[in-house]
Amino acid sequence: MNTNNFPKLHNATWPGIVGKGDQEPIIPLDELLEKTARAEVDGVKFDGVDLGLFDPHVKLDTSDDNINAITDKVGHYGLSIGTLVAPVWPPDGGSAMGSQADRDRFVEVVEKAALFGYKLAKNGIRTGNVIRIDSATSVEDWQKAPLENTKLIAETFRRACDAAAQYGQRLAAEGEICWGGMQSWKTMLNTLELVDRENIGFQADMSHSFLYLLGYNAPEDRILKHDFQWDDRQELERGLRFLTEKLRPWTIDFHVAQNDGTVFGSGSHDKTGRHCLPTDPNGKLDIAKDAGFWLRDENGKLTKAFEHICWDGCMFPNEVMHKQETWNSILKAMVDVRNRHGW
């Protein structure tokens, strides 16, 4: 029986876009909202959605008419809005370590997203104040000049933080191995420390950030021993403890997910941690238990660092996303996490 009210349970909308458009059609926002709203497990439903601010789902237009339209659309389904994703990539944005024009576009997009989020909160539909970003550059390009490029990324993030702070917003850099300067726990930590702003933090994803353990794109920063075998649960938990002790203090946003230990990319999205269904027999995570490494401190005490958690199922095939049972199984995994680590 569920006795916890927090953290609130959110679903992500951007999996309807990310990795789509080439091999498969984009899934409309309305369908994702409908399936999110219809999902139910033992009387528990999703509380809200985290929203990607990119076409064709949501136009990054800060006019009152557009903000009111989004408020009405999401509110119609009885859902709130939590974390936003700023479209920091070209052509809307630009590389955080690119030309001056690229970096200026990056900051401009974040500032618009911050205003967008501020207005949604004024409308009463949005909870929280987090906006997700990344470096919008490849690991390959970053590796051409690591020190110089990390400084450029940090400078751009710093400017973006200052722009977001005008509207009371915080920025969460997602731990995803495909982004330069963010591809390992060590590069991520170094970038965050260089930014040196109170409103910067880390967005942990149980699939993407999981691959920090294996050193994909950064073998020198691998955490698990090199002869690690998946049946060695003790070594896996040692790695998770090490990883979360480094990045948990920075974590301001959290994605529940499953991973099978491999990388995957589709459409124009580069390879990153493969998101799997919670029921996938190849999944390497004990979702409810392993979420605790992020949600509890080293002494096992709840951090209560965020009031909602979100499921991210990027790059699921459309045939999976069209099924209502997919979202019911996802909600069950979320409920299990809250039952174990909520309040």
Side-chain angles (χ1 to χ4, degrees):
M1 178 183 229
N2 179 60
T3 57
N4 295 323
N5 294 317
F6 291 94
K8 298 300 183 182
L9 308 180
H10 283 208
N11 196 13
T13 62
W14 56 84
I17 295 179
V18 175
K20 309 296 181 185
D22 293 334
Q23 295 94 339
E24 293 189 309
I26 287 169
I27 296 179
L29 177 61
D30 280 317
E31 179 180 348
L32 292 167
L33 293 173
E34 180 182 354
K35 287 194 162 42
T36 300
R38 288 178 60 188
E40 186 170 345
V41 176
D42 297 330
V44 179
K45 300 174 73 68
F46 279 107
D47 299 295
V49 291
D50 285 6
L51 205 59
L53 301 181
F54 27 88
D55 291 335
H57 278 184
V58 179
K59 185 175 179 60
L60 185 52
D61 168 9
T62 59
S63 68
D64 289 345
D65 285 347
N66 187 53
I67 299 293
N68 292 339
I70 294 300
T71 300
D72 292 343
K73 180 186 285 287
V74 178
H76 171 76
Y77 293 96
L79 299 166
S80 63
I81 297 172
T83 299
L84 304 179
V85 180
V88 293
W89 323 277
D92 298 309
S95 168
M97 60 174 221
S99 67
Q100 186 67 53
D102 289 333
R103 289 178 280 138
D104 288 346
R105 284 200 308 274
F106 185 105
V107 175
E108 287 166 6
V109 163
V110 171
E111 184 167 5
K112 287 181 71 175
L115 176 57
F116 198 105
Y118 170 77
K119 286 191 169 186
L120 286 174
K122 282 188 69 177
N123 276 2
I125 190 77
R126 184 168 182 237
T127 58
N129 64 346
V130 173
I131 296 172
R132 181 260 189 213
I133 60 169
D134 57 57
S135 64
T137 196
S138 70
V139 176
E140 183 180 24
D141 285 342
W142 174 86
Q143 287 173 330
K144 295 173 183 176
L147 292 177
E148 179 183 343
N149 287 332
T150 299
K151 288 179 181 178
L152 281 174
I153 292 168
E155 179 190 5
T156 306
F157 281 12
R158 195 177 303 122
R159 290 176 57 205
C161 281
D162 293 343
Q166 299 176 89
Y167 303 104
Q169 304 298 298
R170 297 181 293 166
L171 303 184
E174 186 179 17
E176 196 169 352
I177 62 169
C178 61
W179 303 118
M182 304 169 65
Q183 73 270 26
S184 77
W185 67 270
K186 191 175 286 186
T187 56
M188 183 77 260
L189 195 58
N190 188 37
T191 297
L192 289 170
E193 289 173 343
L194 280 175
V195 175
D196 191 27
R197 287 293 186 271
E198 289 186 359
N199 63 328
I200 189 75
F202 179 68
Q203 184 186 75
D205 180 289
M206 289 182 67
S207 175
H208 296 322
S209 306
F210 180 63
L211 291 192
Y212 282 170
L213 298 175
L214 298 169
Y216 280 102
N217 287 339
E220 67 279 8
D221 294 335
R222 182 186 175 102
I223 295 171
L224 296 177
K225 59 187 182 182
H226 287 278
D227 60 351
F228 169 74
Q229 300 295 316
W230 286 113
D231 60 357
D232 188 350
R233 179 71 194 183
Q234 183 176 358
E235 170 65 3
L236 180 60
E237 291 192 5
R238 181 199 67 79
L240 285 169
R241 276 193 296 274
F242 178 92
L243 175 64
T244 54
E245 284 174 10
K246 295 294 185 182
L247 288 171
R248 189 194 309 111
W250 289 90
T251 304
I252 60 174
D253 205 51
F254 182 63
H255 288 169
V256 178
Q258 178 59 286
N259 183 273
D260 64 3
T262 68
V263 296
F264 178 73
S266 65
S268 61
H269 197 288
D270 200 3
K271 290 183 178 180
T272 185
R274 179 190 288 271
H275 282 106
C276 301
L277 284 170
T279 53
D280 192 317
N282 296 314
K284 306 304 184 187
L285 291 164
D286 180 337
I287 296 176
K289 180 178 182 180
D290 294 342
F293 287 103
W294 294 102
L295 297 170
R296 296 178 181 271
D297 66 18
E298 62 275 12
N299 299 314
K301 183 179 179 181
L302 288 172
T303 66
K304 300 183 181 180
F306 22 81
E307 294 196 346
H308 84 274
I309 56 179
C310 181
W311 176 273
D312 186 348
C314 276
M315 293 177 278
F316 279 172
N318 280 7
E319 63 176 330
V320 171
M321 296 183 70
H322 287 314
K323 296 177 181 177
Q324 184 61 50
E325 55 261 38
T326 293
W327 307 104
N328 292 340
S329 69
I330 286 167
L331 178 58
K332 183 181 185 305
M334 299 284 285
V335 170
D336 289 344
V337 170
R338 183 164 71 181
N339 285 345
R340 194 157 178 166
H341 308 293
W343 64 94

